[in-house]
Amino acid sequence: TMGVIEQRAADIFLTVSQAVATQNGLVEHHVPYEVIPNFLPDDGDTIAGDSAPYVAQLPAGEFLLFVGALGHSKGVDVLLRAYAGLRDAPPLVLIGYETPEWPMLAEHCPPNVIVLKDWPRHAVMAAWQRSLLALAPSIWAEPFGIVIIEAMSAGRPVIASRTGGPVDLVADGETGFLIEPGNVLA
């Protein structure tokens, strides 16, 4: 949170989500702010690059998709436990980059999980186009959740944690579902 001097130095604060405004004390201290969410460029689906070698690594049929840091804060461990409890589920694809805890989490990958690392954005956008739905199970209060609007730009519903910025993005029961962070059963 900021001090009184910082608050008085600005006419208005701009945040990417209501969660950021709340976490920074703007709401509590009645500091003027406006939420201006992140966005995707209008040419987002025409990003240059050959996606074919990447897309060839995806399952041929339907699959569930997670994109992000392969770590605890993004809820990967929760997702892996939840996926392990499903029967007859489509493959789960994780696209992301390693975090320090990933090697330990990787030891607990259930069958039918495909891990793909360090993809360029154009290939990730192609994966969203092919996916069944998006999974964003963060356990921390995401400031925004750009992967959510990427998935939605591809017309994919989202299952996300009810914390932080995703609450501003997912209309629960309409554009996806919001679940309690860390709730494996949900």
Side-chain angles (χ1 to χ4, degrees):
T1 60
M2 64 190 89
V4 173
I5 294 173
E6 291 93 349
Q7 291 175 7
R8 290 184 182 158
D11 294 326
I12 191 167
F13 289 87
L14 304 177
T15 67
V16 296
S17 67
Q18 185 64 36
V20 170
T22 302
Q23 291 167 355
N24 284 290
L26 302 178
V27 176
E28 176 185 356
H29 297 292
H30 307 288
V31 175
Y33 72 92
E34 184 174 345
V35 175
I36 300 179
N38 285 325
F39 60 91
L40 295 178
D42 290 338
D43 63 351
D45 54 351
T46 60
I47 297 171
D50 183 10
S51 298
Y54 295 97
V55 171
Q57 299 173 57
L58 296 170
E62 295 181 329
F63 60 92
L64 310 174
L65 183 57
F66 166 91
V67 175
L70 300 172
H72 181 69
S73 66
K74 295 292 187 175
V76 172
D77 51 332
V78 174
L79 177 57
L80 293 175
R81 288 195 319 268
Y83 185 75
L86 298 176
R87 283 188 267 172
D88 302 320
L92 170 61
V93 176
L94 308 176
I95 299 176
Y97 60 91
E98 284 193 32
T99 61
E101 66 265 19
W102 173 246
M104 188 173 68
L105 294 174
E107 292 176 13
H108 303 289
C109 274
N112 222 15
V113 173
I114 300 163
V115 181
L116 305 166
K117 299 177 189 165
D118 304 320
W119 277 31
R121 185 163 182 274
H122 66 88
V124 170
M125 294 307 291
W128 285 126
Q129 291 291 330
R130 292 262 331 279
S131 69
L132 180 62
L133 59 87
L135 301 164
S138 292
I139 61 165
W140 77 297
E142 292 278 351
F144 185 72
I146 198 79
V147 298
I148 292 172
I149 61 172
E150 286 178 350
M152 288 179 166
S153 76
R156 299 305 174 257
V158 179
I159 299 174
S161 294
R162 186 185 306 279
T163 183
V167 174
D168 290 356
L169 300 172
V170 177
D172 194 23
E174 187 177 323
T175 60
F177 294 103
L178 293 170
I179 60 167
E180 293 309 310
N183 186 334
V184 173
L185 294 177

